[in-house]
Amino acid sequence: MVMGRVGVDLYPLQVGVSLREVETFGKYLGGSAANVSVAAARLGRSSALISRTGRDPFGLFVHDALREYGVDDAHVLDVPGLPTPVTFCEIRPPDDFPLYFYRYPKAPDLEILPGELDLAAITGARLFWATVTGLSQDPSRSAHFAAWRARGRAPYTVLDLDYRPMFWERPASAAEQVRAALEHVTVAVGNLDEVEVATGTREPYAAARALLDSGVELAVVKRGPAGVLGMTARETVEVPPVKVEVVNGLGAGDAFGGALCHGLLAGWPLDRVLRFANAAGAIVAGRLACAPDMPAEYEVTAKIAEGGRDDA
């Protein structure tokens, strides 16, 4: 079960130019939480999303897309008076993908009320994934903490450190909320910028140790071209990067997240979990869209085989 951001991505079909020059766009399901739920479903997991949309055509599109991808949308409600968010990006491979979020006057996914939560479903889920964005405003913030209190740090309770500075008044507010959230989760995952917000350091090993000291059982630090670091109290695993010709890097982290969920639920060794997640992220980095381009398990296994033997 995944809780958090959902909306519509409008991605240019012309690459390497500014939005000022783009003539046509593709319309896709978007939002980090929604993408993770799709990525998990594509890998064969039973997946459900807790979020909110506007009562508008884009909101209906979100429901259509979630159902098409096999994600349970029963916990995605609409909020009258607020439009479904739209996100634009520019595509400038290999590493420049500026995002423009239209979440005004307020995104519906920040209007999740604690009293609306299906706590039985949340506590019964084998894995519960939430993002830092949901902590940026109330009532969503209170709803997240209500969900975590209900789970009582049951495995797997995952916090995606997904930090977007434009959603916060100041970085210190984000750091405060993340530190409070870490007390309730068992897994934390983020890139170097995100772990720095959470821990005060971007040195990967120091950040991972700080996350463990906060109470999580597994810390995952995504290091970009340096690969991925995973750390528990008993082991430290480093996974090298997967080579790919980048088309659009925006969905790679969400593909990584869905694949991480899959590997954890499968009970794989940490090394295999991280290699699988890394390969899934690389596949989506080589594709244009996010949700519709999430890979199936056979595609991830094939990508791993390109660079070495999978331990399956």
Side-chain angles (χ1 to χ4, degrees):
M1 178 166 278
V2 182
M3 181 173 177
R5 197 167 76 244
V6 71
V8 177
D9 287 344
L10 293 175
Y11 284 180
L13 300 183
Q14 289 78 48
V15 174
V17 299
S18 72
L19 288 177
R20 182 178 183 179
E21 301 167 90
V22 172
E23 296 181 353
T24 54
F25 296 85
K27 175 168 66 74
Y28 312 104
L29 177 70
S32 179
N35 289 337
V36 170
S37 70
V38 171
R42 189 64 59 85
L43 293 168
R45 293 294 168 182
S46 175
S47 182
L49 177 66
I50 303 170
S51 194
R52 301 290 181 267
T53 69
R55 189 172 291 176
D56 54 26
F58 277 150
L60 295 175
F61 166 76
V62 165
H63 283 278
D64 291 343
L66 289 169
R67 293 168 186 160
E68 178 184 348
Y69 299 134
V71 177
D72 184 349
D73 66 338
H75 305 285
V76 180
L77 309 179
D78 56 39
V79 180
L82 293 179
T84 302
V86 175
T87 302
F88 292 87
C89 79
E90 294 179 350
I91 299 179
R92 301 173 181 272
D95 57 7
D96 186 18
F97 306 99
L99 281 167
Y100 301 87
F101 292 97
Y102 291 81
R103 292 168 59 85
Y104 312 113
K106 185 178 185 180
D109 53 60
L110 294 174
E111 282 292 304
I112 302 173
L113 299 172
E116 295 175 332
L117 296 176
D118 184 343
L119 295 180
I122 290 170
T123 58
R126 292 182 60 203
L127 185 148
F128 179 70
W129 178 288
T131 75
V132 164
T133 297
L135 304 178
S136 61
Q137 293 187 47
D138 263 326
S140 172
R141 179 188 303 143
S142 297
H144 279 67
F145 281 99
W148 287 324
R149 284 192 297 269
R151 280 188 67 82
R153 297 191 74 252
Y156 296 96
T157 303
V158 187
L159 179 63
D160 181 351
L161 298 174
D162 176 46
Y163 171 67
R164 304 284 182 175
M166 67 284 293
F167 298 159
W168 295 84
E169 292 184 1
R170 60 187 191 280
S173 298
E176 179 183 0
Q177 293 301 324
V178 172
R179 286 193 296 269
L182 287 170
E183 299 177 6
H184 298 275
V185 302
T186 61
V187 180
V189 53
N191 61 31
L192 293 177
D193 292 334
E194 293 163 346
V195 297
E196 183 176 19
V197 171
T199 67
T201 179
R202 60 188 297 111
E203 198 288 313
Y205 291 90
R209 286 191 292 269
L211 290 170
L212 294 180
D213 289 342
S214 73
V216 306
E217 298 169 7
L218 169 62
V220 179
V221 181
K222 298 180 286 186
R223 302 181 294 172
V228 180
L229 169 68
M231 187 180 294
T232 71
R234 296 174 300 279
E235 64 178 325
T236 297
V237 173
E238 292 183 80
V239 170
V242 176
K243 293 182 180 180
V244 65
E245 184 175 344
V246 175
V247 174
N248 182 0
L250 294 176
D254 300 330
F256 182 102
L260 178 68
C261 295
H262 179 59
L264 291 174
L265 291 171
W268 293 342
L270 182 57
D271 179 79
R272 184 182 177 191
V273 171
L274 296 182
R275 289 182 185 277
F276 187 88
N278 215 26
I283 289 171
V284 174
R287 297 173 175 177
L288 174 64
C290 296
D293 283 335
M294 294 299 172
E297 185 165 5
Y298 75 88
E299 295 177 282
V300 183
T301 301
K303 173 60 71 174
I304 293 170
E306 290 177 10
R309 184 177 64 85
D310 186 15
D311 293 329

